[in-house]
């Protein structure tokens, strides 16, 4: 799987790129060291991102928040929780508000992770090597999911979650997904398929309530998993989409983005524990359909057809699976 940015993402980042001299001055101001090289990284939705090499040899990642409403301080909290349980998450060197080009910006500096992203390696790995790297990813994901949190969905400011309990987030999700389905009916779905998806959503609301949310990475995908030349996991990055929720949440996102991924490889490292139990396939279908509906509607609203097209294929597969299960 390629980590190359789409035209949509290039256009988004081109609209908010600082001059390299501004980034260099920022880094020197924070670290006291001179910058040797700056590379603009065109990935991610909310932040302007640069890899910076200092003259002393250190590699840093500079992130400048441009969109979204999740404070970097909240993301740092999630990173620290993960580092505490042995996940190789980034070392955060600085978080704060700094004036850049006469505008106050929220800035984060991290030590760059060693290795390369799995997205740059997957096409060159044998099946046994893929099984090996995904088992390590599964073990890291299980450690992330071992962290209990105090609420559901986003923690936009430290300590304050969007929803205090399962009932409140389930009620909100019902209303949101119905709005999404009405949009999808007008754009890409027929009425029959939309009603089948309503059946799936209703079943999902009734089954497997989550009493204790855990920390979810939110975007646990190959671009954010770093491995060294010995195929050892050495970094998990980009916690900007972290959430509180049921463990299945990270896995349905992986299944949506990587439908051909053999989840048995991930399970080998994750362990025989919830959600990898006797109800796993049904959980994957019920929670996955809701996730797919939300993402598809979002990408269509943005006009991001590149991202929408593969999700529509996965959503149609969810509909077929539901028909086979219930008809």
């Amino acid at each position: 799987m390629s980590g190359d940015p789409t035209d949509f993402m290039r256009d988004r980042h081109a609209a908010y790129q600082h001059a390299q001299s501004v980034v260099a001055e920022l880094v020197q101001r924070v670290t006291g060291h001179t910058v040797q090289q700056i590379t603009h990284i065109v990935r991610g939705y909310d932040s302007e991102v640069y890899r910076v090499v200092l003259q002393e040899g250190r590699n840093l990642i500079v992130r400048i928040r441009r969109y979204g409403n999740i404070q970097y301080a909240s993301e740092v909290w999630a990173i620290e929780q993960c580092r505490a349980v042995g996940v190789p998450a980034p070392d955060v060197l600085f978080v704060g508000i700094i004036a850049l080009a006469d505008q106050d910006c929220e800035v984060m500096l991290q030590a760059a992770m060693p290795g390369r992203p799995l997205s740059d390696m997957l096409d060159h790995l044998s099946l046994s090597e893929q099984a090996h790297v995904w088992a390590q990813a599964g073990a890291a994901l299980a450690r992330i999911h071992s962290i209990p949190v105090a609420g559901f969905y986003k923690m936009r400011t430290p300590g304050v979650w969007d929803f205090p309990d399962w009932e409140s987030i389930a009620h909100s999700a019902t209303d949101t997904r119905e709005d999404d389905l009405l949009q999808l009916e007008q754009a890409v779905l027929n009425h029959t398929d939309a009603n089948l998806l309503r059946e799936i959503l209703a079943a999902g609301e009734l089954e497997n309530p989550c009493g204790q949310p855990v920390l979810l990475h939110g975007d646990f995908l190959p671009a954010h998993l770093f491995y060294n030349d010995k195929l050892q996991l050495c970094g998990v990055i980009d916690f900007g989409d972290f959430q509180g929720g049921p463990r299945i949440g990270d896995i349905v996102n992986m299944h949506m983005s990587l439908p051909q991924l053999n989840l048995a490889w991930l399970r080998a490292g994750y362990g025989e524990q919830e959600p990898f139990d006797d109800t796993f396939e049904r959980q994957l279908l019920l929670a996955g359909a809701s996730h797919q509906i939300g993402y598809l509607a979002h990408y269509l609203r943005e006009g991001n057809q590149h991202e929408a097209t593969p999700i529509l294929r996965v959503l149609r597969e969810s509909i077929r699976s539901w028909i086979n299960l219930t008809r």
Side-chain angles (χ1 to χ4, degrees), residues 33-318:
H33 293 280
T34 303
V35 170
Q36 176 177 305
Q37 182 180 356
I38 298 175
T39 303
H40 186 210
I41 300 175
V42 184
R43 287 182 183 173
Y45 254 62
D46 294 336
S47 293
E48 184 179 351
V49 184
Y50 300 90
R51 175 179 286 270
V52 174
V53 181
L54 302 180
Q55 281 193 347
E56 63 175 77
R58 275 194 301 165
N59 283 251
L60 307 180
I61 299 296
V62 177
R63 299 174 65 201
I64 304 168
R65 187 158 72 89
R66 288 294 197 158
Y67 293 102
N69 53 13
I70 307 299
Q71 294 182 7
Y72 280 158
S74 292
E75 185 177 345
V76 171
W77 173 86
I79 290 171
E80 290 174 345
Q81 298 297 308
C82 291
R83 286 172 62 88
V85 297
V87 177
D91 183 15
V92 179
L93 307 177
F94 173 84
V95 172
I97 305 295
I98 291 184
L100 298 177
D102 298 324
Q103 181 180 6
D104 286 344
C105 296
E106 190 177 12
V107 173
M108 180 191 293
L109 267 67
Q110 303 172 346
M113 303 304 290
R116 293 186 294 151
L118 182 58
S119 54
D120 292 349
M121 306 166 67
L122 269 179
D123 289 343
H124 309 289
L125 300 181
S126 66
L127 289 179
S128 63
E129 289 172 331
Q130 291 181 52
H132 176 65
V133 297
W134 281 114
Q136 293 176 69
L141 188 61
R143 288 194 289 273
I144 295 172
H145 291 173
S146 73
I147 302 167
V149 299
F152 287 85
Y153 199 46
K154 302 289 189 178
M155 187 175 76
R156 301 177 196 280
T157 57
V160 181
W161 296 85
D162 283 344
F163 299 95
D165 52 44
W166 177 252
E167 289 74 19
S168 59
I169 191 173
H171 179 74
S172 175
T174 298
D175 293 341
T176 301
R177 290 297 170 264
E178 178 57 28
D179 290 343
D180 290 339
L181 279 174
L182 291 174
Q183 175 195 342
L184 296 183
E185 275 191 88
Q186 296 175 356
V188 293
L189 294 178
N190 61 46
H191 187 63
T192 299
D193 283 349
N195 280 339
L196 288 167
L197 289 169
R198 290 184 175 94
E199 291 181 17
I200 299 175
L201 293 175
E205 187 176 353
L206 292 173
E207 298 180 27
N208 303 312
C210 177
Q212 175 56 66
V214 301
L215 185 65
L216 306 178
H217 180 279
D219 205 11
F220 198 79
L221 297 174
H224 302 144
L225 305 173
F226 278 58
Y227 290 80
N228 62 23
D229 290 340
K230 296 182 179 180
L231 298 184
Q232 297 170 327
L233 181 68
C234 56
V236 179
I237 70 164
D238 199 347
F239 286 78
D241 286 324
F242 84 92
Q243 301 177 20
R247 292 173 172 223
I248 195 70
D250 272 328
I251 299 168
V252 298
N253 188 56
M254 296 174 68
H255 180 63
M256 179 185 74
S257 302
L258 302 167
Q260 303 308 314
L261 173 63
N262 185 345
L263 291 175
W265 295 340
L266 190 79
R267 185 174 189 164
Y270 195 100
E272 297 296 323
Q273 57 179 321
E274 197 276 326
F276 287 109
D277 54 24
D278 292 341
T279 67
F280 173 67
E281 293 298 333
R282 187 171 177 88
Q283 286 187 65
L284 190 66
L285 172 59
L286 298 183
S290 176
H291 193 76
Q292 294 150 22
I293 291 166
Y295 268 80
L296 178 58
H298 167 73
Y299 285 133
L300 289 176
R301 284 192 294 269
E302 287 204 330
N304 187 350
Q305 193 63 45
H306 180 89
E307 301 282 1
T309 298
I311 295 176
L312 179 59
R313 286 197 295 268
V314 176
L315 185 60
R316 293 193 188 283
E317 182 58 38
S318 293

